[in-house]
Amino acid sequence: MSYTIYLVEDEENLSEALRAYMEKEGWTVKLFQDGDKAQESVEERPHLWVLDIMLPGTDGYQILKTIREIQGDIPVIFISARDQDLDRVLGLEMGSDDYISKPFLPQELIIRVKKLLTRVYGSESEENKTVDLNDYTIDPEARTVIDEQNDKQVVDLTTKEMDLILLLTVQVGKALSREDIIEEVWGENYYGSERAVDDVVRRVRKKMPRIHLETLYGYGYRILSS
């Protein structure tokens, strides 16, 4: 699959180097060195944003906020020169999917990007198999959930809600701990509370009331087939 990545980085040498590495992977890269121009392109839909925090004009936090408001499920990786826990936590709480601190090797970012693209869009070698569960049709490749009982409407899920559904429905009946879910959905660099899992589960239950998403108290969750 050919991915399109929007790279927002104002350091010219770094941005050109990162673009070169990404294009070697076969990805299409659109480069922004100005926050205002990136903000103007938020209504477009790449597969991934790689977004610096400190930018001329509109900063990365505001761009991320706009991305989540307009294109809520697009994955975002934050990069920043300020290696501070506050930046990392704030970025993740605002909805970034991963965070990398400068200085870093371009190869390190490539590894992070590959891992996130695979988590969100699946492996290219995987067959596209939909899952039919309680009159919901779940398509992992298209990342859609269709409500068959409600005029085949698409269920509006955020990135994390969709990631959770895909994780649990791929292995119906298997119990996953909150730690397992955090690692798979939020990634290894997540430093927030495990209560984030409970919040996403609550939202999924509200949006997909026929899904039998069982709580295993003191452990985690699983989805049952009926």
Side-chain angles (χ1 to χ4, degrees):
M1 180 175 180
S2 179
Y3 295 108
T4 297
I5 298 174
Y6 281 12
L7 171 62
V8 190
E9 169 56 62
D10 64 313
E11 294 183 28
E12 185 173 357
N13 291 339
L14 177 59
S15 63
E16 291 295 345
L18 294 178
R19 175 161 66 177
Y21 272 87
M22 290 180 181
E23 288 177 345
K24 284 182 182 178
E25 298 293 330
W27 305 328
T28 300
V29 181
K30 186 172 182 178
L31 179 60
F32 302 89
Q33 294 178 328
D34 178 292
D36 293 339
K37 294 197 182 305
Q39 180 84 335
E40 292 171 2
S41 298
V42 167
E43 291 191 5
E44 301 170 16
R45 194 173 179 86
H47 293 93
L48 171 71
W49 285 82
V50 178
L51 182 60
D52 196 2
I53 292 177
M54 302 303 294
L55 296 164
T58 308
D59 68 21
Y61 290 125
Q62 181 57 50
I63 296 170
L64 175 60
K65 181 180 178 182
T66 308
I67 290 170
R68 288 294 172 249
E69 289 173 350
I70 296 177
Q71 302 283 11
D73 60 344
I74 292 179
V76 177
I77 295 177
F78 254 173
I79 56 179
S80 174
R82 299 183 300 172
D83 187 10
Q84 297 180 2
D85 288 342
L86 180 61
D87 283 337
R88 184 188 301 268
V89 172
L90 182 57
L92 292 169
E93 286 184 345
M94 290 182 67
S96 71
D97 298 274
D98 201 353
Y99 183 106
I100 186 168
S101 299
K102 298 178 185 176
F104 58 85
L105 296 174
Q107 296 94 326
E108 182 181 357
L109 179 62
I110 296 300
I111 291 170
R112 298 281 191 96
V113 169
K114 284 182 176 179
K115 184 174 181 179
L116 183 55
L117 289 173
T118 299
R119 175 157 61 87
V120 173
Y121 299 104
S123 171
E124 294 182 21
S125 63
E126 292 177 354
E127 296 182 14
N128 181 27
K129 295 182 178 179
T130 60
V131 177
D132 295 316
L133 195 63
N134 304 109
D135 287 327
Y136 294 106
T137 299
I138 301 160
D139 188 329
E141 183 173 334
R143 289 180 61 82
T144 58
V145 175
I146 305 298
D147 188 341
E148 302 292 347
Q149 285 191 15
N150 193 17
D151 298 324
K152 295 185 180 295
Q153 290 188 7
V154 177
V155 181
D156 184 17
L157 299 175
T158 66
T159 302
K160 293 293 185 289
E161 292 162 4
M162 180 63 75
D163 288 345
L164 178 72
I165 280 294
L166 294 180
L167 176 65
L168 293 174
T169 54
V170 162
Q171 37 202 345
V172 170
K174 180 177 179 179
L176 293 179
S177 69
R178 287 178 175 82
E179 292 86 352
D180 292 335
I181 295 170
I182 285 285
E183 183 172 344
E184 292 295 330
V185 174
W186 277 264
E188 297 173 356
N189 294 311
Y190 179 73
Y191 289 94
S193 168
E194 291 181 3
R195 293 296 299 274
V197 177
D198 303 331
D199 292 338
V200 172
V201 166
R202 184 173 61 252
R203 297 200 304 267
V204 166
R205 284 171 171 161
K206 184 175 181 180
K207 293 179 180 181
M208 301 176 65
R210 298 191 307 279
I211 283 290
H212 295 162
L213 212 174
E214 182 181 43
T215 300
L216 302 173
Y217 291 99
Y219 183 73
Y221 296 94
R222 66 181 170 191
I223 281 181
L224 302 177
S225 59
S226 60

